[in-house]
Amino acid sequence: MMGKTKRFRNLVGSLKDTASLIKAYAHTLTRCSSTSSIHVVVLRATTHRPSSSPPENRVAAVLSLGHHTRLTACACIVRIMDRLHSTRNAYVALKCLITIHLIITRGSFILKDQLSFCPTNGGHNSLNLSSFRDPSDSESWEISTWVRWYAAVLEQHVIVSRVLGYDHLCSSSNIMNKKDGKAEPVSSLLNSDLLREMNALVGVMEEICRVPNSLHLQRNDLVYEVMRLVGEDYGLIQQEIFVRLGEFEDREGELSFDESVELVMLLKRLEGCKERLKEVLLKKRNDAFWDSISRIQKVVVTKGDMCLSETPDKIETMQKRSTL
């Protein structure tokens, strides 16, 4: 009985996709509207089919919209966000989020720029899906937890994009512009800016470790693709953090009282993610990364612990500020 219900739901979803595409095609033909053609591209990438992630050619079509005008890029992001917020289907929502994720990692500058602007436009957070629920069946209900979590992870990436720049997830080659083995962009930053970047990066790590407990759902191709993409991000975020930790190690004697305490707090937040991240991302353990955190903690721990014991009220205030 449950199998029949699911097949019927999939059929209804397929019919909805067909009807939406026909309507969008009709608008394109009758009004010659470029936004209607963009709508078609988005619909094709975010169908109701529950068992597959967006095909590469459909994703490529979405990304190609970023090579036109800024108006086209804006219309693309608006269409994706409209699709994301109008659907009550967990699979459609995941496909919208995967498409957004690929815009963050592979999209053109103007697409990323529009995406970065979108969450704060008019005070509305377009990636806040904390109330999303698909009660169609038990699996859809569980998939809904993945939708909420994945949206929160992407929201953190958008925040990092604003702080670090749009290319923080493009490739490891973008992390360092080396000169004599040092990262020029990072070495030129003020301590306060370096701590601000670290705070944003740690926020991504904390959100990743809140992954739903229903890891068995990775048998679903969509959920598997989500974890694959997040796993790739995790490796790149580790590298971004690793570069900044090395810089802090070089600057240890130059850090002020407050900066040393803030660094200790950030390292403690990272340590709090360690076991969960190792559990859910077994193939990306990277023990060297965690060893570097322990090593740098030892470098600043004396100064930090002294601050913690002597000024507990001030430390509590700084800890709250570092998690904002």
Side-chain angles (χ1 to χ4, degrees):
M1 183 70 179
M2 195 170 177
K4 287 183 179 179
T5 303
K6 197 166 187 177
R7 284 196 296 273
F8 177 73
R9 185 185 178 219
N10 292 343
L11 176 61
V12 171
S14 180
L15 291 172
K16 283 183 177 180
D17 289 335
T18 303
S20 296
L21 282 168
I22 291 172
K23 185 177 178 181
Y25 275 125
H27 277 286
T28 303
L29 293 172
T30 58
R31 301 183 183 181
C32 297
S33 170
S34 61
T35 57
S36 294
S37 62
I38 292 169
H39 193 194
V40 170
V41 171
V42 171
L43 287 171
R44 283 175 167 174
T46 58
T47 63
H48 284 73
R49 186 176 299 176
S51 58
S52 60
S53 57
E56 179 58 34
N57 63 320
R58 302 304 188 196
V59 171
V62 174
L63 297 180
S64 70
L65 296 172
H67 300 292
H68 297 278
T69 64
R70 187 169 292 274
L71 188 63
T72 300
C74 179
C76 173
I77 298 299
V78 168
R79 284 295 183 183
I80 294 171
M81 291 302 182
D82 285 348
R83 178 77 160 158
L84 177 61
H85 286 276
S86 63
T87 188
R88 286 295 170 263
N89 183 288
Y91 303 103
V92 172
L94 273 186
K95 289 182 182 183
C96 289
L97 292 171
I98 287 173
T99 304
I100 291 169
H101 197 160
L102 293 173
I103 287 172
I104 294 172
T105 57
R106 291 163 46 188
S108 67
F109 173 83
I110 58 172
L111 267 181
K112 294 175 184 178
D113 189 44
Q114 292 302 314
L115 182 62
S116 180
F117 175 74
C118 195
T120 56
N121 187 16
H124 175 66
N125 185 347
S126 296
L127 286 170
N128 182 0
L129 297 182
S130 58
S131 61
F132 183 90
R133 303 287 188 282
D134 181 352
S136 305
D137 53 50
S138 58
E139 182 171 291
S140 297
W141 185 261
E142 281 193 287
I143 294 287
S144 296
T145 65
W146 287 81
V147 171
R148 296 192 296 273
W149 168 75
Y150 193 26
V153 171
L154 295 183
E155 184 182 358
Q156 286 298 317
H157 278 313
V158 172
I159 291 170
V160 172
S161 293
R162 295 195 197 109
V163 176
L164 271 69
Y166 298 122
D167 293 334
H168 73 285
L169 291 180
C170 286
S171 72
S172 57
S173 63
N174 290 328
I175 291 174
M176 287 190 287
N177 177 17
K178 286 190 176 181
K179 183 179 181 182
D180 300 327
K182 254 194 162 180
E184 284 186 310
V186 173
S187 62
S188 65
L189 292 173
L190 298 173
N191 291 342
S192 57
D193 292 332
L194 204 54
L195 286 165
R196 187 166 60 95
E197 291 188 350
M198 274 288 291
N199 185 51
L201 291 165
V202 172
V204 177
M205 300 286 261
E206 289 176 322
E207 203 59 62
I208 291 175
C209 75
R210 295 185 183 109
V211 59
N213 290 321
S214 51
L215 294 174
H216 62 279
L217 285 177
Q218 288 188 68
R219 66 177 183 270
N220 178 286
D221 286 347
L222 267 176
V223 176
Y224 178 83
E225 179 66 5
V226 167
M227 283 304 292
R228 186 187 71 78
L229 291 171
V230 170
E232 288 180 356
D233 291 353
Y234 172 62
L236 292 172
I237 291 293
Q238 275 190 332
Q239 291 179 59
E240 293 277 10
I241 291 175
F242 189 81
V243 170
R244 286 156 182 79
L245 289 177
E247 186 63 28
F248 275 123
E249 197 167 17
D250 291 343
R251 299 185 188 188
E252 188 276 327
E254 304 169 17
L255 297 178
S256 70
F257 177 96
D258 288 351
E259 289 164 349
S260 295
V261 175
E262 192 169 348
L263 179 57
V264 169
M265 292 302 164
L266 286 167
L267 294 175
K268 286 182 181 295
R269 285 169 59 193
L270 269 177
E271 282 282 0
C273 300
K274 179 178 178 180
E275 295 307 317
R276 180 60 171 165
L277 290 172
K278 282 189 172 184
E279 177 189 350
V280 300
L281 296 165
L282 292 173
K283 294 181 180 179
K284 297 186 178 289
R285 290 173 60 92
N286 195 354
D287 291 333
F289 170 76
W290 298 107
D291 290 344
S292 71
I293 292 173
S294 299
R295 185 179 67 252
I296 295 168
Q297 271 188 314
K298 289 176 183 176
V299 172
V300 296
V301 73
T302 304
K303 194 172 186 179
D305 282 351
M306 179 182 67
C307 297
L308 287 168
S309 61
E310 291 183 1
T311 56
D313 293 339
K314 187 173 184 179
I315 300 307
E316 185 178 355
T317 301
M318 292 186 68
Q319 186 172 18
K320 289 177 180 177
R321 187 176 65 194
S322 72
T323 58
L324 293 177

